[in-house]
Amino acid sequence: MPDLLVEIGVEEIPAPVVLPALEQLRQAVDEGLTARRLEHGPVRVFGTPRRLAVLVTDVAACQPDEVKEVKGPPAAAAFDADGKPTPAALGFAASRGVAMDQLRVVETDKGSFVFATVAERGQPASVVIPALLTDVLNDLSFPKTMRWGDVDTRFCRPVRWLVALLDEEVLEWTYAGLKAGRTTRGHRFLGPGSGDIARPSAYVETLRDLFVIVDHEERENLIAAKAREVAATVNARPRLDPDLLTENNFLVEYPTCVLGSFPERYLALPERVPVTVMEKHQRYFAVEDEHGALLPYFVIVRNGSEAGSDIVRRGNEKVIVPRLEDAEFYLTEDLKTPLPERLETLRRVTYMESLGSLYDKTKRLEAWVSWLNERLPGLSEDERQAALRAAMLSKCDQVTLMVGDGKLAALQGYIGGHYARCAGEPEAVAVALAEQYLPVRQDDPLPATAAGRLLAVADRFDNLCAAFTLGLVPRGTRDPQGLRRQTQGLIAILLEAGYRLDLLSALSFGLAQIPRPDPAPKGALEPTEARDALWEFIASRLQAMLEDEGLSYDTVRSALGSHWTDVVDVIERARALGFLRRSAADFEAQVDTATRPANIWRGTDLPAETVVDPALFADPTEQSLWTVWGVARERIAALKQTAPVDYRAVWETLSQLQQPIAALFDAVMVNAEDMNLRRNRLAMMRELDRLYLELADFREIVQ
Amino acid sequence: MTFQQIIRRLDDFWAARGCILAQPYDVEVGAGTMTPDTFLRALGPEPWNVAYVQGSRRPNDGRYGENPNRMQKYYQYQVILKPSPDDVQETYLESVASLGIDPVLHDFRFVEDDWEAPTLGASGVGWEVWLDGMEITQFTYFQKAGGMPCDPVSVELTYGIERLAMYMQDVDHYRHLLWNDDINFGELRKEEERQFSTYNFEVADIDMLWQLFRLYEAEAARLVQSDLHLPAYDYVLKCSHVFNLLDARGAVSITERPAMIGRIRNLAGQVAQAHVAMRAALGYPLCHR
């Protein structure tokens, strides 16, 4: 079976865009081929700054023929009173290419209709794939698209060439005004510039000859190896920050590493300052010795060969010095004003355009920390005080020159901590300031001190409440405030510290503090709307995080569908359910029982105030179930008094209900003719359902 | 290669590719983008290819002539090609090679940098072009100008000539940059930088500047209503420069900033609309040549 290769040649795609685009491509081509009935082998993707490529092995050369039942006009309209076909029937038969005597009348839910059995010839892959490719590219989503020249297509950057091969055959395909061929382009400056790809399987090697390492995993390994190699020449090692490695990988097609150096005196700066200058301004890897101490070197990832390495090194060394000089200048200037004296300046900085000033935000954070202090046990008085002081100083570094330099904004918090220390603030306050934005990325450490955690929790809650008040709810790939990441950080901190909070009260407290936006933007949410949207949003993050842990979709859904109010508790519950599902022999049987009360009462018009009246019990199974329920309820209420809740014990308690519920369903009709009996039984079902919901909504479990 | 040789090479290069060699605009601007040859010509369907040097003023960037690479006035080499040609990246790289920079011996990179000029309601998508780690050119496909979509799309190449020249001459302070073979930048421009930095940061009369801002704004608004959008645009540019001066004097609070930018953008948008209407009324003469 033939192989398929598609290469989209693009002007330099922004580095962070390439991997997500490749993943979309892989999935869309895989699913698209399947949906179009083209069997195929594995789908691989390759990417550089200038190309997105898909290679599929063993694609069926042709779709299989298909026999389909096609629905035509209603039988009543297809035949007249004499049973003769009407023009509607004749037209239908003609349009489907079948003879009249091949039409059949079939009874359906919606009445009887005429059907034709139609045999469709499978189309060759070379005909099916071009249309598929156009659909796939039109559906790609990018953070930002553009137009160029007078072409009507939108893409992340201008598309300049297309390759589409099915084995040796060039596919007839045009996109963005370009016709696909077999000619690809190589490295901009090395080698011959362009070359023909004989067949898909030759793709990677053909590009290698053109000085492009197209396999991005290979290229990334190469960069890492070369970076280590050049650092080793000064007995050092590069700090290969994973994000920076990926970014560099998608800035080059043929990587070479070059070692540069900077004057040693800049090592006197707080360590993250020169590191951030190198990483954020210039995309260099910082270099450290065997003990992890920073050295006055850096690794440049260059898009080219070894030729002219000295020129490249000298050029880069000239660029970094003024940058370091700027940072040193910022530090000296910033230290002329002690950090706490900057508080007043925050009044003049607006927060999120219409939600007051950063000073107002600081006041909210102080209120948040007090609120948390009252609710979280186990904090020492020193920790509480440090957190309060840190909240007050938390945003003072926003009006420093260092953070004001956009590229160095990543130093926020860290540099605030440094300035606080220089201003004589207690160490716990300085550390809390430095920890307030942790974790910035998924693999970052969490804040290690209580004051840092409190401030981090307060800041994230306030950011979420503010964003949702403005209606800035993340959707699809749009999450400019990074709220998903912030929420995941928040959950991770709550979980690790065991901070058990009533989420609804926290959200209500946070939203009540946010001023009404003036002017109110389109889509702004009222506090109750914002609270509900936030609850949904946090639940969706919990869902994603718990699935990442390996819990199945429906296990998580059933935990999140239960009555919960504390993030830590619901995570423990989901994990317990996951454990029970793997290990409890009677799990399925108990789920079956548990869903029966829910299935029967939910959706009825049972009034909220109806309560179970034992006097109305007409069958002994009702009383015995009611008794078991009462015992179970008390036991579960007791179990819920201690945190963490022993959910396996809750499960065992609930399993006591299994037999009496089955007995009741065997003995009586819940929906009895007598309305009093019926309401009473439905009310009992509701109580049972509520008790199960203390653990999970078992209706979400897909057996 | 001296500063003036670089300009002449680029002139020759772009003239040979069909660009008009325009002359700098004579109202203070913060960037070559703001001159009518870019901002207004980027609008509408008419083809347009132009190259020019534009002295650009950024009062906030002044350092009294002392900083090695920050000045309140510097030069941009500006190229506009509309519609953007298919091979514009390759042509651009040839232009740099024509300055004697062998691409095989250097590291060129196109690093994502989308551009936005809030006072003009203009934005584009593109890159900073890095030469051995140094940004030498802003490369932008215009998507919007005056709040209106650009169709067809123009490409804008803005070379930072001082940076390029410092790199090529291997000097680390602009003062040592050779303008021609025997006169350097310091001799020509240092006193100018000192005086303008002093004026911009310390001496400019804030009350007078506020008055000028209002006067210029009113005049721009009056002219744009009177079908004289070209003179109106001069006053928009003057507003913008006065705003930058006020900003350098620290007279614009953080909360006032967005509102003032909005006022200038509003005027620029009106000019842009009037310009598009005027070209349409003339029947887009450059489309029919």
Side-chain angles (χ1 to χ4, degrees), chain A residues 191-336:
Chain A
S194 66
D196 284 357
I197 297 165
R199 67 189 66 77
S201 56
Y203 180 61
V204 172
E205 293 311 312
T206 306
L207 276 174
R208 194 185 303 281
D209 293 342
L210 295 171
F211 293 88
V212 173
I213 310 295
V214 74
D215 180 338
H216 47 273
E217 284 171 21
E218 177 190 348
R219 201 168 63 243
E220 186 166 302
N221 291 334
L222 197 63
I223 294 173
K226 288 188 171 197
R228 289 195 188 98
E229 199 177 298
V230 296
T233 60
V234 290
N235 295 319
R237 60 191 186 204
R239 286 191 190 168
L240 296 174
D241 176 275
D243 288 352
L244 186 61
L245 183 57
T246 304
E247 186 178 8
N248 268 304
N249 191 22
F250 290 107
L251 284 171
V252 298
E253 300 205 290
Y254 191 80
T256 300
C257 288
V258 179
L259 186 74
S261 65
F262 60 85
E264 209 154 322
R265 68 188 193 89
Y266 296 113
L267 291 179
L269 295 167
E271 184 181 289
R272 274 195 52 199
V273 173
V275 172
T276 306
V277 168
M278 286 187 273
E279 292 184 346
K280 299 289 176 186
H281 269 300
Q282 296 297 135
R283 278 80 164 174
Y284 302 151
F285 296 118
V287 169
E288 63 184 19
D289 70 11
E290 62 203 298
H291 308 295
L294 193 66
L295 294 173
Y297 297 102
F298 53 88
V299 176
I300 307 149
V301 184
R302 171 197 182 184
N303 185 24
S305 66
E306 306 277 350
S309 284
D310 274 347
I311 300 177
V312 174
R313 178 177 51 75
R314 267 191 295 131
N316 280 281
E317 286 175 348
K318 279 177 77 158
V319 181
I320 193 73
V321 171
R323 304 267 196 215
L324 290 166
E325 219 164 86
D326 277 348
E328 192 179 44
F329 170 78
Y330 298 152
L331 195 79
T332 318
E333 288 299 306
D334 284 344
L335 285 172
K336 288 179 182 165

Side-chain angles (χ1 to χ4, degrees), chain A residues 11-12 14 144 146-147 149 157 160 188-189 281-283 301-303 311-312 316 318-319 326 348, chain B residues 70 84 86 89-90 104 106-107 109 111-112 114 125-127 132-133 141 143 151-153 170 254:
Chain A
E11 294 185 358
E12 278 76 356
K144 189 187 233 176
M146 63 171 292
R147 292 189 58 237
R157 284 294 186 273
R160 293 306 184 195
R188 280 192 185 282
F189 308 119
H281 269 300
Q282 296 297 135
R283 278 80 164 174
V301 184
R302 171 197 182 184
N303 185 24
I311 300 177
V312 174
N316 280 281
K318 279 177 77 158
V319 181
D326 277 348
R348 304 213 309 263
Chain B
R70 274 196 218 284
S84 66
D86 290 349
Q89 278 187 311
E90 287 74 19
V104 173
H106 292 269
D107 182 31
R109 291 205 227 167
V111 179
E112 170 191 21
D114 295 340
V125 172
W127 309 272
D132 298 338
Y141 289 96
Q143 303 292 303
D151 186 15
V153 170
D170 197 16
I254 297 170

Side-chain angles (χ1 to χ4, degrees), chain A residues 592-668:
Chain A
D592 283 339
T593 311
T595 50
R596 295 181 82 172
N599 287 342
I600 206 157
W601 90 265
R602 290 193 209 173
T604 64
D605 54 3
L606 184 69
E609 64 279 5
T610 307
V611 291
V612 178
D613 179 2
L616 289 170
F617 289 158
D619 187 274
T621 56
E622 288 177 277
Q623 182 56 58
S624 51
L625 174 54
W626 191 238
T627 308
V628 176
W629 168 83
V631 174
R633 191 186 61 157
E634 269 177 37
R635 170 93 178 112
I636 287 171
L639 285 167
K640 289 221 154 186
Q641 289 304 309
T642 49
V645 177
D646 182 350
Y647 278 109
R648 285 183 226 170
V650 172
W651 166 264
E652 275 154 24
T653 309
L654 287 170
S655 62
Q656 306 295 318
L657 293 164
Q658 203 172 334
Q659 196 278 325
I661 288 178
L664 179 134
F665 274 95
D666 284 344
V668 303

